[in-house]
Amino acid sequence: MYKSAKLNEITGFIADYAAVLLGSGVHCTRVLRNSRRICEAYGLDITMTIFASNIILTLSDPEQDEICTEVVHIRQLPVSFELNAELSALSWKVFDHHQSIGELRREYRQILERPRMNSWLVTLLVSVANACFCRLFDGDLGAMLFVFVSTFAGFRLLRWLKKKGIDHFLSVIIVSFVSSFACSCLVLLPPMAGHADVTVAMATSVLFMVPGVLLITGVIDIFENHTLIGIARLVRSVLIVLCLAVGLSISMVVFQGSLL
């Protein structure tokens, strides 16, 4: 059905498509399902092996008795449910309308290059959410204000560290320390907040870095027999939580006279 060059092109596209989905927080079964749907539209069979950092992908053309294998690195991308939904819809579109690979690539690039939500708006919403968490744990308005400011500063710092290429785990430690340290300054304002409010503020100031999506997809992958990557995702989640604890502990040591 396809000459080797065409099969290579489709294989390269599927490899990049699957890597983007996995890197942005999609569980393995959904990636396999979407990729298989696209391959079926072109009359191809697919075999995919997913590791923590790489994908080994083989497409075969049963009519021409040809195969093509691709190995691609999984890039760590920001979690985006909007992007994941659009890429899933794209797989249905090519399945229903049998688009050419050229048309498919153009739409795929348009989706990836489409502007996402303004980063400052995201920072504002994350800060408000963290302040609300503080209130849920009985923090007063003063503690909520400190959590809002510390989260805002920490989130912007985290983005800046990522742009500079700083190791993610080190970035988590630094941001966790900065955010919790800012909230620890409540100790210096006894009329504004008491001891309970300080501990609540410190604990909630770092919640925006808890890897909730990673934990959920890791559990889903294990239940769906993708044990290797599921365990890898859970281990990464545990390491991130440990890094949060390290940064938080440093702040508590600095203010140990008032907090411990």
Side-chain angles (χ1 to χ4, degrees), residues 97-109:
H97 301 289
H98 301 284
Q99 296 173 302
S100 68
I101 184 62
E103 294 172 333
L104 181 59
R105 277 191 177 278
R106 281 194 296 272
E107 290 201 28
Y108 175 67
R109 287 301 167 194

Side-chain angles (χ1 to χ4, degrees), residues 48-79:
M48 185 184 296
T49 303
I50 301 174
F51 297 100
S53 300
N54 299 282
I55 302 172
I56 301 175
L57 176 73
T58 299
L59 265 62
S60 60
D61 185 346
E63 293 188 10
Q64 298 295 328
D65 195 25
E66 292 182 339
I67 64 171
C68 182
T69 299
E70 185 93 13
V71 179
V72 63
H73 176 70
I74 302 173
R75 305 184 303 276
Q76 292 298 322
L77 302 171
V79 174

